Amino acid sequence: MAALTLASLPEIVTALRGRRFVSAELMYLPRPAAARERRVFDFTLASRLEELSRYERAAVVFVCDSPATADSLAHLPGTFPHLLLLAVEANPAPLPAGTPDAYAATPLVCGWNTPDRWRRYNLTDRWARLRAALDLARQLDTPGWLILPAHDAVWGRGLLARLVRLGEQHARNGQPAAVSPYTPYQHFPVPGVDIPRDVIDALNAAFARDSWRRWRFRSEGYQAFWGKMGLLPFGLCDTLLQRSETMVWEDDLEFDRVIREAGYAARALWVGSPALYHQSPPVFDHDGLRAVIDRTLHYSLCIPGAFPAAKSDLNRPLDTPARLRAAVSPRFARAVALSERLIADCNATIAARVDRCGASWVDWGAYRYVAQVGDPLVQVWKSDQILL
């Protein structure tokens, strides 16, 4: 299995026996073709593979949507010859024809083009790949860690060791804690890639509305497992596979809930040094900013409120430290102003949709995700036509 070709789950499990770190790279598209997007993708992925290469018992499993995606990564085994690289395919399935469906009228009610050509799916494509990763990790019979990084996670030397130490320090009921790093650098420059500074600043400012978050991580009830990067002990993976509600859109928040309710621990590591950990998403302009903000606002529609997405962190007022920072830093003030303008635009679009048809949606990859106010479960749809 030296070449990066798709294998069956049993073959993957056999190849992973004895591994301590298994990083699951969830791939919903082939490696980008456009030059700028490809440079960002390659840089972020290389940072993760280089850090993993420092460990003898490490492996990477690319959980792919298609053989074409695995083929687009064929250069990696030659680039990282000492790292075990594997690939498996996992996708959601459409609901069987004739299945009773309370959401069947959504395409018509929401006014989508050719409503009869949409099919609803049993879970998100991300959940399909998360479940495949959990399934293989739970079958590994030696202590170790399943790593779930986002594509924009950039690792520095020593990050994994620090996270493992944190997990071991907070073990509970015979298992290390599930751990995640959290960075204020939600967007950071990539060498050789032209990303306007105002775009980077605005994305960071959008998520900088809670200046006390690093201290909130000390609270037992505050979210500690995050979707941008997380380490799960193999021993927790079966519990997560069995107990998680896979129609909850925010899978990291669902993992956090299950871990705590099952009697285990979750801990977050605040990382203030971008050299150790940061994020570099393929966001190059205001449209890219808008897409991130729009998706994030939709995550909170499931919370009942007087206004769509009212409970989202993006809609909370700047706290006192952030207001003081904006008062003394013109650059931060400009970033806040841009982010707030885009947040307001996205809120208006969401509110108009909710008023019109009771729901709003995001197109992401090959799927359309529909959220309703107060409904904890997301709807997943796909058309046989290209999404516009």
Side-chain angles (χ1 to χ4, degrees), residues 289-335:
L289 280 173
R290 187 188 304 272
V292 174
I293 289 169
D294 186 49
R295 187 166 64 243
T296 304
L297 288 171
H298 276 83
Y299 290 154
S300 297
L301 277 179
C302 63
I303 306 172
F307 180 80
K311 301 297 178 66
S312 172
D313 281 351
L314 293 182
N315 282 326
R316 66 186 297 164
L318 285 180
D319 60 15
T320 300
R323 289 199 304 273
L324 291 173
R325 181 182 174 191
V328 301
S329 170
R331 175 174 161 180
F332 183 65
R334 289 193 299 271

Side-chain angles (χ1 to χ4, degrees), residues 350-373:
I350 293 170
R353 283 179 175 169
V354 171
D355 287 344
R356 177 169 58 85
C357 60
S360 189
W361 56 87
V362 170
D363 292 337
W364 197 2
Y367 300 87
R368 176 166 287 179
Y369 300 90
V370 181
Q372 293 178 290
V373 177

Side-chain angles (χ1 to χ4, degrees), residues 19-348:
R19 300 287 166 167
R20 186 185 181 210
F21 292 113
V22 175
S23 184
E25 293 280 349
L26 310 182
M27 302 294 301
Y28 66 97
L29 287 171
R31 179 185 180 215
R36 190 164 54 169
E37 286 81 354
R38 173 169 286 198
R39 289 193 188 101
V40 172
F41 176 88
D42 287 348
F43 175 80
T44 57
L45 178 59
S47 78
R48 301 191 295 274
L49 299 187
E50 287 169 2
E51 173 68 357
L52 282 167
S53 295
R54 299 179 54 240
Y55 298 89
E56 291 185 359
R57 293 189 294 132
V60 180
V61 179
F62 292 91
V63 188
C64 301
D65 68 312
S66 67
T69 293
D71 289 345
S72 74
L73 305 169
H75 63 291
L76 292 174
T79 308
F80 298 92
H82 303 299
L83 188 61
L84 178 62
L85 304 176
L86 309 167
V88 66
E89 185 174 357
N91 286 295
L95 295 182
T99 302
D101 182 9
Y103 301 116
T106 293
L108 184 62
V109 170
C110 292
W112 299 347
N113 292 333
T114 58
D116 58 323
R117 302 184 71 169
W118 290 83
R119 294 190 68 182
R120 195 160 76 85
Y121 281 67
N122 64 344
L123 72 171
T124 70
D125 58 335
R126 178 173 167 84
W127 266 116
R129 292 174 196 120
L130 284 171
R131 285 184 60 83
L134 292 171
D135 194 15
L136 66 87
R138 70 173 178 152
Q139 299 180 58
L140 303 179
D141 51 11
T142 54
W145 300 85
L146 174 66
I147 310 173
L148 299 171
H151 287 183
D152 54 7
V154 180
W155 301 357
R157 185 180 180 92
L159 175 67
L160 293 183
R162 285 193 60 178
L163 291 169
V164 168
R165 285 197 300 271
L166 180 67
E168 292 173 342
Q169 289 166 2
H170 294 279
R172 184 176 297 170
N173 287 336
Q175 292 292 336
V179 290
S180 287
Y182 189 94
T183 176
Y185 298 98
Q186 303 279 309
H187 201 346
F188 199 76
V190 173
V193 180
D194 178 23
I195 306 175
R197 188 75 235 188
D198 71 314
V199 170
I200 292 175
D201 289 348
L203 187 56
N204 287 326
F207 292 93
R209 311 185 75 79
D210 181 3
S211 304
W212 309 106
R213 191 188 298 272
R214 65 180 300 177
W215 289 279
R216 296 188 201 282
F217 286 145
R218 301 176 185 178
S219 170
E220 187 67 26
Y222 195 77
Q223 181 177 349
F225 193 83
W226 296 86
K228 290 295 185 179
M229 168 67 177
L231 271 70
L232 292 168
F234 292 158
L236 296 188
C237 291
D238 186 63
T239 296
L240 287 165
L241 185 65
Q242 301 301 328
R243 298 193 187 187
S244 296
E245 170 52 69
T246 55
M247 292 310 295
V248 172
W249 199 354
E250 284 193 277
D251 47 81
D252 54 348
L253 194 58
E254 178 68 0
F255 279 178
D256 193 85
R257 178 193 69 81
V258 171
I259 289 165
R260 296 171 191 271
E261 290 185 0
Y264 301 109
R267 289 291 184 275
L269 175 69
W270 178 271
V271 182
S273 168
L276 184 63
Y277 173 66
H278 66 264
Q279 292 156 211
S280 292
V283 175
F284 309 109
D285 51 32
H286 291 188
D287 287 342
L289 280 173
R290 187 188 304 272
V292 174
I293 289 169
D294 186 49
R295 187 166 64 243
T296 304
L297 288 171
H298 276 83
Y299 290 154
S300 297
L301 277 179
C302 63
I303 306 172
F307 180 80
K311 301 297 178 66
S312 172
D313 281 351
L314 293 182
N315 282 326
R316 66 186 297 164
L318 285 180
D319 60 15
T320 300
R323 289 199 304 273
L324 291 173
R325 181 182 174 191
V328 301
S329 170
R331 175 174 161 180
F332 183 65
R334 289 193 299 271
V336 168
L338 174 55
S339 68
E340 289 189 336
R341 185 170 72 250
L342 294 174
I343 290 168
D345 288 348
C346 291
N347 275 326

Side-chain angles (χ1 to χ4, degrees), residues 1-7 12 70-71 85-88:
M1 298 179 65
L4 190 59
T5 56
L6 291 174
I12 297 284
D71 289 345
L85 304 176
L86 309 167
V88 66

